[in-house]
Amino acid sequence: MMSFKETLGQLNVRAYCKKYGLGMWRCPQFLFLLMGLVIIATALITYVIGTRYVADPGIVSLIVLVITIILFVLTFSFTRSLEGLAEANRLKSEFVSIVSHQLRAPLSNLKWALEILISGRFGRVEGKPADYLQILTDNTKRMGELVSSLLIVSRIEQGRLPMHKAEFSLVDLAKEAITEFKPIASASNVDIVLEIPKSDLPFAFGDSSQLKIVAENFIDNAVRYTQGAGKVVVTVSPKNGTLLFSVKDGGVGIPKEDQKHIFQKFFRSGNVLKYQTQGSGLGLYIAKSIVEKSGGKIGFKSEQDKGSTFWFTIPTKK
Amino acid sequence: MQKKILFVEDEAALQKTLGDVLEQEGYRVIRALDGEAGFKMAQAENPDLILLDLVLPKMHGFEVLKALKSDEATKSIPIIVLTNLESMGDIEKALELGATTYLVKASYSLEEVVNKIKKALGE
């Protein structure tokens, strides 16, 4: 619920519109306030005319009709100016999309050139220069991941996230994702284990490459936010006719006050910023969009300093 | 016999990286920097494999693909499309036009691309 102070703050229309960089005539808050005032004023005028000057109900009805038409025209022109906002939002998504596409080409050039240098195909690089090469490689990879995340976000916002649904094994997907993070995890003494039931599980139905992004995000977070040595448990199990994928860690956890924001775009919890400044705050936003578009549910349980469990469900083939 | 690869790519950096590595792997790499030159070289040189970018000056990759597949002399040369376009529509169109493989540059390491090229050459 909005607090009293927040509600009062919204009445300061000028500050509100300024915050979003909108001119008064394009600012919804101002337009609705104006609209309200116009409606109240016309109702008053109608009342005064009807009771004091004109006794004929026919003429009063006519006046009401004329005023309604004027109000209709006004409302229409107001909504037209709101269209500008929708257009601005579309342009923003398009901008992100174009920029990320354009960034991909130079990034893949960088990636391949670095790969050649590190492979030693044309001569070994050793000692300090090799360390610098590794820094370049790591940061190119980071940039690449960020650009990919931005591309996914822009697709989500334009409603163009591709979903190629098919049957797949969620256990295989979990194994692949774990294999990818094993090296990073063992470097920081974190053990990733997979727990699956003994009986065979049904196939999941969804876009496996998209859901792999979600699984990797969960495991990445679990490893990243585990302090010192620890264990990350990945589970795949049946749940009410769907399949449940969950990742449990004993890491830093999420403070209670931050929990409601955790799936918001660009949100990063205050406590993790102390341990880990890297991260875009896009991962869980993307995860939520993908899971929901797949017809599943997503959620988590977390306690600060005790750890978190993130899970999603995915439909099985009917 | 040394196999011949035609590399149609307008980006100099990629001509250098992938081209150099392929030469080191023992292939003869002939290079074209635009679509039109690529098509002409394919006719003149009869390569064993063509690596084709899509966004190319003078002649778009799709047109090159169409032209190569409708010419008796070049029809049977395997073509790997190597691009950063990754919409399902582009992928389907390229495969429909007769491309052997479709690779999105950003998704693969250089080593993986080289392996795919070897595989397409039947090695």
Side-chain angles (χ1 to χ4, degrees):
Chain A
M1 277 299 286
M2 226 187 269
S3 73
F4 179 66
K5 213 176 148 191
E6 273 177 89
T7 318
L8 209 67
Q10 285 211 329
L11 285 178
N12 187 354
V13 170
R14 228 191 138 78
Y16 203 87
C17 298
K18 220 174 154 184
K19 180 175 159 197
Y20 294 106
L22 293 166
M24 290 306 243
W25 292 105
R26 292 184 61 194
C27 176
Q29 238 74 10
F30 173 72
L31 291 177
F32 281 115
L33 198 68
L34 190 68
M35 198 65 211
L37 290 176
V38 171
I39 292 173
I40 293 168
T42 49
L44 267 175
I45 293 166
T46 320
Y47 174 75
V48 170
I49 293 174
T51 51
R52 295 225 176 141
Y53 303 105
V54 192
D56 187 352
I59 296 181
V60 176
S61 315
L62 201 66
I63 294 171
V64 171
L65 185 69
V66 170
I67 289 176
T68 313
I69 291 171
I70 294 171
L71 277 178
F72 172 75
V73 172
L74 266 178
T75 322
F76 187 71
S77 61
F78 281 1
T79 41
R80 282 304 298 273
S81 63
L82 291 182
E83 257 180 41
L85 283 184
E87 174 67 6
N89 191 42
R90 193 187 63 79
L91 281 177
K92 183 210 69 188
S93 291
E94 209 172 86
F95 172 76
V96 172
S97 164
I98 290 170
V99 169
S100 358
H101 267 295
Q102 293 301 320
L103 279 172
R104 284 190 107 183
L107 273 172
S108 51
N109 292 348
L110 266 176
K111 192 176 83 174
W112 285 5
L114 286 165
E115 193 189 323
I116 292 176
L117 284 175
I118 287 198
S119 73
R121 271 179 184 276
F122 301 115
R124 277 241 158 274
V125 183
E126 278 160 355
K128 275 226 186 296
D131 296 343
Y132 293 127
L133 264 187
Q134 198 53 50
I135 293 175
L136 283 173
T137 305
D138 293 345
N139 284 282
T140 306
K141 187 166 170 255
R142 237 171 96 191
M143 253 195 296
E145 284 164 357
L146 187 59
V147 168
S148 298
S149 295
L150 283 174
L151 259 179
I152 297 176
V153 168
S154 77
R155 283 191 193 130
I156 290 170
E157 289 184 344
Q158 294 174 325
R160 290 195 295 122
L161 190 68
M163 281 279 160
H164 307 295
K165 293 188 181 175
E167 277 183 60
F168 69 95
S169 158
L170 193 56
V171 174
D172 288 351
L173 184 141
K175 282 180 185 160
E176 279 171 38
I178 290 173
T179 312
E180 246 160 80
F181 284 94
K182 269 264 157 79
I184 305 168
S186 53
S188 43
N189 288 320
V190 176
D191 198 22
I192 311 178
V193 292
L194 176 65
E195 284 180 2
I196 43 172
K198 287 208 175 68
S199 55
D200 277 349
L201 286 170
F203 279 117
F205 187 68
D207 186 324
S208 60
S209 66
Q210 298 284 8
L211 286 159
K212 194 161 169 237
I213 295 175
V214 182
E216 285 173 356
N217 174 262
F218 283 5
I219 297 172
D220 188 14
N221 285 342
V223 173
R224 199 185 288 257
Y225 299 126
T226 296
Q227 291 292 293
K231 192 164 103 171
V232 168
V233 184
V234 180
T235 316
V236 180
S237 59
K239 197 196 174 193
N240 306 332
T242 65
L243 285 172
L244 177 80
F245 175 94
S246 77
V247 179
K248 182 173 186 289
D249 68 57
V252 298
I254 305 157
K256 242 195 158 59
E257 67 271 20
D258 285 345
Q259 295 196 356
K260 59 175 182 281
H261 303 297
I262 209 72
F263 291 113
Q264 274 171 19
K265 196 169 35 170
F266 296 117
F267 180 79
R268 299 202 64 214
S269 178
N271 68 327
V272 304
L273 289 172
K274 275 185 282 182
Y275 309 112
Q276 230 344 315
T277 48
Q278 286 181 22
S280 60
L282 290 174
L284 286 172
Y285 168 78
I286 291 172
K288 187 168 193 273
S289 307
I290 291 175
V291 169
E292 285 176 353
K293 251 197 126 176
S294 308
K297 290 197 175 102
I298 189 168
F300 68 97
K301 249 195 329 215
S302 183
E303 205 177 323
Q304 190 165 9
D305 301 322
K306 294 256 172 72
S308 310
T309 304
F310 276 84
W311 56 264
F312 70 79
T313 60
I314 184 84
T316 51
K317 180 82 182 168
K318 292 268 147 50
Chain B
M1 245 265 301
Q2 195 185 29
K3 287 199 170 146
K4 199 163 29 168
I5 298 175
L6 170 62
F7 190 13
V8 192
E9 167 68 66
D10 60 325
E11 186 131 10
L14 283 180
Q15 282 283 6
K16 183 89 187 131
T17 49
L18 183 56
D20 283 0
V21 168
L22 287 174
E23 270 168 5
Q24 203 204 22
E25 289 285 332
Y27 300 108
R28 212 185 117 210
V29 181
I30 43 178
R31 301 160 197 241
L33 293 166
D34 64 68
E36 207 180 274
F39 177 58
K40 281 185 184 146
M41 264 189 206
Q43 285 177 316
E45 297 270 350
N46 192 29
D48 297 285
L49 179 87
I50 299 173
L51 292 173
L52 182 66
D53 188 14
L54 285 183
V55 185
L56 286 166
K58 288 189 188 171
M59 198 172 166
H60 192 275
F62 282 140
E63 284 174 55
V64 179
L65 198 52
K66 218 183 284 175
L68 287 171
K69 287 297 167 188
S70 51
D71 185 336
E72 276 304 316
T74 53
K75 207 166 128 183
S76 54
I77 306 172
I79 298 172
I80 295 183
V81 170
L82 194 59
T83 175
N84 261 328
L85 301 181
E86 54 171 352
S87 79
M88 245 0 237
D90 289 326
I91 297 175
E92 274 162 16
K93 188 171 176 190
L95 296 178
E96 232 164 70
L97 286 173
T100 315
T101 315
Y102 191 103
L103 301 178
V104 178
K105 290 170 201 164
S107 319
Y108 294 97
S109 70
L110 193 54
E111 209 63 45
E112 285 168 322
V113 172
V114 171
N115 285 335
K116 301 242 179 212
I117 291 168
K118 283 184 186 165
K119 210 173 140 196
L121 282 166
E123 288 170 7

